[in-house]
Amino acid sequence: MQQNETSASVFKYVDWFTVVLYIILVGLGMVSIYAASYDFDHANMLSFAEFSGKQFRWIGLSLAMGLVILLIDVRVYENYAYVIYAGLLLLLLVTIFIAPDIKGSHSWLKIGPMSLQPAEFGKFATALCLAKLFSSYNFTLNASRKNYARALLIIFLPVLLILGQDETGSALVYMSLFFVLYREGMSGLVLLAALCAVVFFVVEVKFTGSLLLGIPVGQAAVFIMIMVLVVAMLAIYCRDIDAARNVFLWFVGSGVLASLLTLVNLEIPGLIFFLAVIAVALVYCVLLMFKSKGRHLPITISAALVSIAFMLSVNYTFTSVLKGHQQMRIKVALGIEDDLQGAGYNVNQSKIAIGSGGMWGKGFLNGTQTKLKYVPEQHTDFIYCTIGEEEGFVGASAVLLLFVVLILRALALAERQPTVFGRVYAYCVASYFIFHIAINIGMVIGLCPVIGIPLPFFSYGGSSLWGFTFLVFILLRIDASRRERSF
């Protein structure tokens, strides 16, 4: 009797707005898969011989799983979060050794006629574990370095195991959880450091063709960015306007002097020049540090030193650490090389398909680029180009709008949770969706390198659909418990 009352209360208090949004997205996803894989000779959408029919089966199983998830007592997710996480870690570890080689990665487990990707299920397990950690008694992220270490360990253990499967794209998804750490008190300087790392890497790799003061223009540009960073941190972070002005004048004066010396044909070693100029500024900051004894100046100095070290390591990382196909994908994304018959083929054909759709699209099943199979993987990672070609800018924007509504709803659910566990888990869900949607669409339109990130609910595949279903319905179950407790 009590179980029936609990079930009734779940369906009474579940957020039906999110449920309807989920159904709309998976429905549109199945239709898009049908359009992307449409065959004139086999046009039955629900045929299990077609990708759309197979996806329909995955959707049916997903809805059944969602129902089961809602019926499970919410305390199971919190009490057994560590157990679920440990089980998924073990599964990820086993996958490295027993999964077959598929396109260079060992990330898919063959279970009879099915193939499952454990990395997709690791996302909800990691979210549960992180939420459990933050909801621990008297846990505060900024209370100690140990707390940071525990949170980072939870995030990076699945990352390392997935990298061991040669599945870089799936591993990068977990980096989105740093937004959760920021929400729970992590300094914004960490996000600034990540942004700077991306910008420095892109600028140095892209602008290597010409030289300035004997060093690549990209490297010189990064040196200048580091100077700007130092001045900005002194003015904004350290709140020392006088120091910021003095360092700024030193940088400008050094630049003017270098320009004058260059005009009289005096050769200046660029690397030594930039390092010396920044070194003088940092020595000045050290002297100020001993005078003021503030904690902000050491962070500013460290930021400059780490930035320089990172910049000097970019070339080695790009040429010696990244694999050849990864280098080519980055070069194509940055416009350094076209390679229209190789690494750039998918993106080029995808952009042609989206561009040919215009404002209103060519109409359902009328896309020529997709119907003639010009776009590889158009029913999986590149399915957004099918939407853009057939439904045009309006249809593609409508799909993007639905995703934005889903993300905003997840954030709204997060902020109304009475428990830390519910709030942190909801932010994990929102972070995953933001990363997947931004990277996948950016990849399809050529703004990001191709790294194999599926579009939630649209890309073909049971693992991805099930993984996101677990994420969404566990969130719905946690949110429903909020009303149950108040009732």
Side-chain angles (χ1 to χ4, degrees):
M1 185 69 174
Q2 183 178 0
Q3 179 64 36
N4 293 335
E5 292 177 357
T6 302
S7 301
S9 64
V10 169
F11 292 112
K12 179 180 179 181
Y13 297 126
V14 73
D15 186 58
W16 286 105
F17 179 85
T18 304
V19 173
V20 172
L21 194 57
Y22 167 86
I23 293 173
I24 291 173
L25 286 169
V26 296
L28 291 175
M30 190 186 77
V31 172
S32 299
I33 291 170
Y34 175 67
S37 59
Y38 178 75
D39 190 334
F40 293 101
D41 298 325
H42 304 88
N44 187 354
M45 180 185 292
L46 301 181
S47 172
F48 290 154
E50 303 298 318
F51 286 119
S52 57
K54 294 176 182 177
Q55 189 73 1
F56 181 73
R57 179 176 57 193
W58 293 121
I59 291 172
L61 293 172
S62 295
L63 291 173
M65 288 181 178
L67 177 62
V68 172
I69 290 170
L70 291 177
L71 292 176
I72 295 175
D73 192 315
V74 69
R75 290 171 292 187
V76 171
Y77 302 116
E78 185 169 0
N79 295 339
Y80 293 95
Y82 290 144
V83 176
I84 295 171
Y85 177 75
L88 261 297
L89 287 183
L90 180 60
L91 183 60
L92 289 171
L93 178 62
V94 171
T95 301
I96 298 175
F97 301 101
I98 68 173
D101 188 327
I102 300 176
K103 297 182 180 180
S105 69
H106 298 80
S107 58
W108 292 87
L109 292 178
K110 301 285 289 185
I111 305 174
M114 296 191 306
S115 293
L116 294 177
Q117 190 176 25
E120 293 293 338
F121 304 104
K123 286 182 283 194
F124 86 84
T126 304
L128 285 174
C129 188
L130 201 61
K132 176 65 174 178
L133 173 67
F134 276 88
S135 64
S136 302
Y137 177 72
N138 209 27
F139 181 91
T140 304
L141 184 62
N142 291 323
S144 67
R145 294 179 181 177
K146 181 181 178 181
N147 288 347
Y148 269 101
R150 292 164 67 188
L152 293 176
L153 184 65
I154 289 173
I155 295 173
F156 279 102
L157 277 179
V159 170
L160 294 174
L161 293 175
I162 294 171
L163 287 175
Q165 302 170 8
D166 290 325
E167 192 65 35
T168 307
S170 297
L172 288 175
V173 173
Y174 290 81
M175 296 298 100
S176 64
L177 295 178
F178 275 86
F179 290 111
V180 181
L181 301 187
Y182 174 70
R183 169 60 181 82
E184 295 302 316
M186 183 183 73
S187 172
L189 290 176
V190 178
L191 296 183
L192 175 63
L195 176 62
C196 288
V198 172
V199 173
F200 293 168
F201 183 89
V202 169
V203 171
E204 185 167 353
V205 170
K206 182 173 177 61
F207 301 102
T208 57
S210 54
L211 300 178
L212 177 65
L213 299 180
I215 62 175
V217 171
Q219 194 172 75
V222 173
F223 269 121
I224 295 173
M225 290 180 185
I226 294 173
M227 294 178 182
V228 173
L229 177 66
V230 171
V231 173
M233 290 190 69
L234 286 172
I236 300 173
Y237 182 62
C238 300
R239 298 182 179 180
D240 192 335
I241 302 300
D242 291 336
R245 183 189 64 243
N246 294 338
V247 172
F248 174 75
L249 292 175
W250 164 247
F251 286 154
V252 172
S254 301
V256 172
L257 178 61
S259 300
L260 293 175
L261 293 177
T262 303
L263 289 177
V264 298
N265 297 323
L266 183 63
E267 185 176 345
I268 301 176
L271 182 62
I272 295 176
F273 167 76
F274 281 112
L275 289 175
V277 169
I278 295 177
V280 171
L282 294 183
V283 169
Y284 172 71
C285 291
V286 170
L287 295 176
L288 290 177
M289 181 179 66
F290 285 114
K291 182 179 179 180
S292 64
K293 296 182 181 180
R295 68 181 183 88
H296 294 98
L297 278 170
I299 295 177
T300 302
I301 296 169
S302 300
L305 293 175
V306 171
S307 296
I308 293 172
F310 177 81
M311 180 205 63
L312 296 176
S313 69
V314 166
N315 183 62
Y316 172 79
T317 301
F318 185 74
T319 57
S320 302
V321 176
L322 295 181
K323 297 178 180 178
H325 70 278
Q326 294 171 329
Q327 296 177 27
M328 184 56 67
R329 288 176 178 178
I330 293 175
K331 288 180 179 179
V332 169
L334 296 180
I336 301 172
E337 295 188 21
D338 291 329
D339 194 21
L340 299 182
Q341 299 302 318
Y345 179 81
N346 290 26
V347 174
N348 183 58
Q349 294 298 327
S350 174
K351 290 161 70 175
I352 292 173
I354 293 175
S356 66
M359 179 62 72
W360 301 101
K362 298 176 180 178
F364 184 57
L365 302 181
N366 291 326
T368 54
Q369 288 292 116
T370 52
K371 295 301 164 293
L372 297 176
K373 312 299 182 185
Y374 281 111
V375 185
E377 310 296 338
Q378 60 189 18
H379 63 291
T380 55
D381 297 342
F382 281 83
I383 194 166
Y384 194 71
C385 73
T386 301
I387 301 169
E389 182 181 21
E390 297 192 349
E391 312 306 328
F393 177 79
V394 173
S397 299
V399 170
L400 185 57
L401 179 62
L402 286 173
F403 278 124
V404 171
V405 172
L406 178 64
I407 292 169
L408 292 177
R409 189 60 180 176
L411 294 175
L413 295 182
E415 287 301 324
R416 75 183 191 185
Q417 297 305 308
T419 65
V420 175
F421 180 83
R423 183 182 71 240
V424 172
Y425 180 82
Y427 268 100
C428 288
V429 173
S431 298
Y432 285 139
F433 274 106
I434 291 171
F435 188 91
H436 266 271
I437 294 163
I439 297 300
N440 179 272
I441 295 178
M443 181 179 74
V444 169
I445 62 179
L447 296 180
C448 300
V450 179
I451 56 175
I453 297 290
L455 186 63
F457 307 129
F458 279 78
S459 294
Y460 171 78
S463 296
S464 174
L465 179 59
W466 285 3
F468 284 109
T469 297
F470 274 103
L471 283 169
V472 170
F473 278 86
I474 291 176
L475 172 58
L476 291 174
R477 183 64 186 92
I478 294 172
D479 181 67
S481 69
R482 171 186 65 91
R483 299 287 298 275
E484 292 175 37
R485 289 169 181 169
S486 63
F487 180 77

